[in-house]
Amino acid sequence: MSNRQVITILGATGSIGLSTLDVLARHPRHWQIHALSANTDVEGMLELCRQHRPRHAVMASTEAADRLEKALREEGLETLVDAGTQALEAIASAPEVDVVMAAIVGAAGLLPTLAAARSGKRVLLANKEALVMAGNLFMQTVEDHGATLLPIDSEHNAIFQCMPPGYTCGQEPAGVSRILLTASGGPFRERAPETLRQVTPEEACAHPNWDMGRKISVDSATMMNKGLELIEACWLFHATPDRIEVVIHPQSVIHSMVAYADGSVLAQLGNPDMRTPIAHALAWPERIESGVSPLDLVGVGRLDFMPPDPERFPCLRLAEEAARAGGSASTVLNAANEVAVQAFLDRQIAFTDIPRLIEAVMERMPVIEVDHLDRVLQVDREARERAGAWVQRMGRQPA
Ligand code: NAD
Ligand code: MG
């Protein structure tokens, strides 16, 4: 790669954040790290500051920031420490930054990711919740401010790679008839449906193919992840939900496909390792080494495909309904899902309560337009309140 690029990583201590740092460390001459952010993991951030020497580190709370700053100074490290949403927006929009990796999980990532788009950065989008919550607003911001949007989610990165030459996210792709969104089916693809109520957080977080954060692991187990990805794909590739087909592919070797009007179907293949889409988006349109081992197709042996089971995975149906309804429906879906997943991880509700809670909240909130940030945040807040009340009413006491 030619010029040295300056990067901010939002959510640096997470699964995507660490994989990004792993790829960057393989190319030290090409990237300079401006800033790293984390929620509460002071120890994790301290270690990253030791290794990568960012100029700035941002924690979610001042309490965590104070602890980090003290530890850094004791070791003679000069990283500047700050806290809160405004500080996140500042490191995402700083003039010297070229690239922002948006890898905070959940709605907390929306404001800094929007700030990066508003500043015309190259935005590497892992934080799918931002797009599900505020797709219209986000895509409009990208377009208005000339930002470059590159998908990190492995399926969307695969679809992007299979798009016509010169394709820009948000445009309607010429000659494309369908998008085939592949799904592993998660850990419960074959588990007896009547036993799903007893699923524990540990079982839900043990994904057969991918090693990920806890929230997306639970989303994969309910298949809400595929539902969120369906909505994400609608925004990224200017598609209606009926143009997108979800296909179960247990080996996770094909990361998604694009079908063309002439009958051609293009697929992107690789080992299930997020360093491939991360390296692709970092270097795009060039290619760099990522550390991912070569795909051994003979070792894989076979590639299977089957339709998803709507009975077993009601979250997928709820997301499809939200995608079709448009407007605030997916904002509500996302907020209710975040509350439900947290309540499940905290053992307050059962695994099978997750879709029940989301459906109950969606039924009670009318679909409205959400073109402005204030509206998005208001709908998000109301959906969280309703979801929280559902947990209080229907949930069991924490263990
Ligand atoms: P993770 O839980 O491992 O990491 C999340 C990061 O966000 C951490 O650095 C954490 O400190 C930070 N964070 C969490 N809450 C925060 C808050 N309130 N304020 C500020 N920072 C906060 O999650 P992950 O698996 O790395 O996923 C990150 C995003 O990427 C998610 O949106 C996920 O859907 C998406 N994604 C992940 C994968 C994967 O393989 N892990 C694949 C595709 C998409
Ligand atoms: Mg994915």
Side-chain angles (χ1 to χ4, degrees):
M1 283 183 62
S2 32
N3 290 339
R4 197 164 200 218
Q5 301 272 298
V6 179
I7 185 166
T8 282
I9 304 176
L10 304 170
T13 53
S15 162
I16 294 287
L18 294 175
S19 292
T20 305
L21 287 164
D22 181 282
V23 176
L24 294 178
R26 292 165 194 275
H27 308 276
R29 290 206 318 278
H30 294 141
W31 277 281
Q32 183 188 330
I33 297 170
H34 175 72
L36 302 177
S37 93
N39 192 16
T40 52
D41 182 2
V42 173
E43 270 309 309
M45 181 59 100
L46 179 61
E47 183 54 34
L48 294 184
C49 290
R50 285 187 195 119
Q51 281 175 29
H52 301 282
R53 307 294 168 106
R55 246 182 99 64
H56 298 266
V58 175
M59 305 299 293
S61 69
T62 44
E63 184 270 328
D66 288 346
R67 280 198 290 136
L68 176 67
E69 179 152 36
K70 188 160 170 286
L72 284 166
R73 298 302 165 261
E74 275 170 12
E75 296 191 20
L77 294 170
E78 288 171 0
T79 300
L80 301 168
V81 183
D82 217 329
T85 306
Q86 281 185 355
L88 283 178
E89 290 181 301
I91 57 169
S93 59
E96 57 268 52
V97 170
D98 305 298
V99 182
V100 175
M101 167 57 82
I104 290 176
V105 58
L110 177 65
L111 294 178
T113 308
L114 269 178
R118 223 180 292 118
S119 314
K121 306 299 187 200
R122 177 191 286 225
V123 182
L124 276 41
L125 186 72
N127 178 212
K128 67 189 87 185
E129 294 92 348
L131 209 47
V132 173
M133 183 183 177
N136 202 1
L137 175 72
F138 187 76
M139 295 307 288
Q140 196 60 53
T141 307
V142 166
E143 192 182 332
D144 291 349
H145 298 273
T148 304
L149 182 58
L150 294 167
I152 293 297
D153 215 342
S154 58
E155 296 78 2
H156 305 74
N157 183 271
I159 294 163
F160 181 76
Q161 293 196 46
C162 297
M163 281 291 175
Y167 179 72
T168 302
C169 280
Q171 282 180 356
E172 191 170 349
V176 169
S177 57
R178 257 178 334 140
I179 290 172
L180 300 160
L181 187 65
T182 53
S184 69
F188 308 136
R189 185 171 56 84
E190 293 184 319
R191 181 166 162 150
E194 62 278 10
T195 67
L196 286 175
R197 198 171 165 79
Q198 279 80 52
V199 161
T200 64
E202 292 71 27
E203 288 172 312
C205 289
H207 195 280
N209 306 346
W210 297 94
D211 180 11
M212 309 180 287
R214 280 161 71 79
K215 196 263 176 179
I216 184 175
S217 295
V218 176
D219 284 345
S220 299
T222 61
M223 278 197 82
M224 178 56 92
N225 184 48
K226 214 45 58 179
L228 300 177
E229 290 183 356
L230 172 83
I231 298 168
E232 184 185 12
C234 289
W235 288 115
L236 287 173
F237 308 117
H238 197 99
T240 50
D242 54 297
R243 288 280 185 109
I244 303 175
E245 186 184 339
V246 174
V247 182
I248 303 276
H249 165 47
Q251 291 88 0
S252 298
V253 166
I254 292 182
H255 299 309
S256 277
M257 297 171 261
V258 175
Y260 283 86
D262 61 5
S264 299
V265 177
L266 302 192
Q268 187 261 2
L269 286 72
N271 283 323
D273 185 324
M274 289 306 292
R275 291 178 299 176
T276 293
I278 290 167
H280 169 266
L282 280 170
W284 180 85
E286 296 175 33
R287 297 274 180 175
I288 53 169
E289 208 272 320
S290 66
V292 176
S293 52
L295 177 62
D296 170 14
L297 270 179
V298 174
V300 172
R302 53 186 275 184
L303 301 177
D304 295 307
F305 306 96
M306 55 209 79
D309 175 356
E311 301 283 308
R312 185 188 293 268
F313 297 115
C315 283
L316 187 55
R317 170 182 56 82
L318 293 172
E320 281 165 358
E321 284 170 15
R324 276 194 293 273
S328 59
S330 54
T331 315
V332 172
L333 175 92
N334 179 66
N337 181 56
E338 285 192 29
V339 172
V341 170
Q342 192 58 52
F344 167 68
L345 287 170
D346 293 341
R347 298 174 206 273
Q348 288 179 287
I349 64 171
F351 184 72
T352 43
D353 286 336
I354 296 173
R356 290 177 62 212
L357 183 162
I358 298 165
E359 188 155 32
V361 174
M362 284 176 75
E363 275 171 0
R364 278 165 191 75
M365 290 187 64
V367 178
I368 59 168
E369 284 307 313
V370 281
D371 296 343
H372 298 285
L373 184 58
D374 294 350
R375 262 302 165 77
V376 172
L377 297 178
Q378 189 191 332
V379 169
D380 176 75
R381 209 163 30 240
E382 185 181 337
R384 280 170 202 274
E385 279 165 16
R386 287 180 182 274
W390 196 98
V391 173
Q392 291 304 316
R393 224 172 33 250
M394 310 290 281
R396 50 185 178 229
Q397 293 309 307

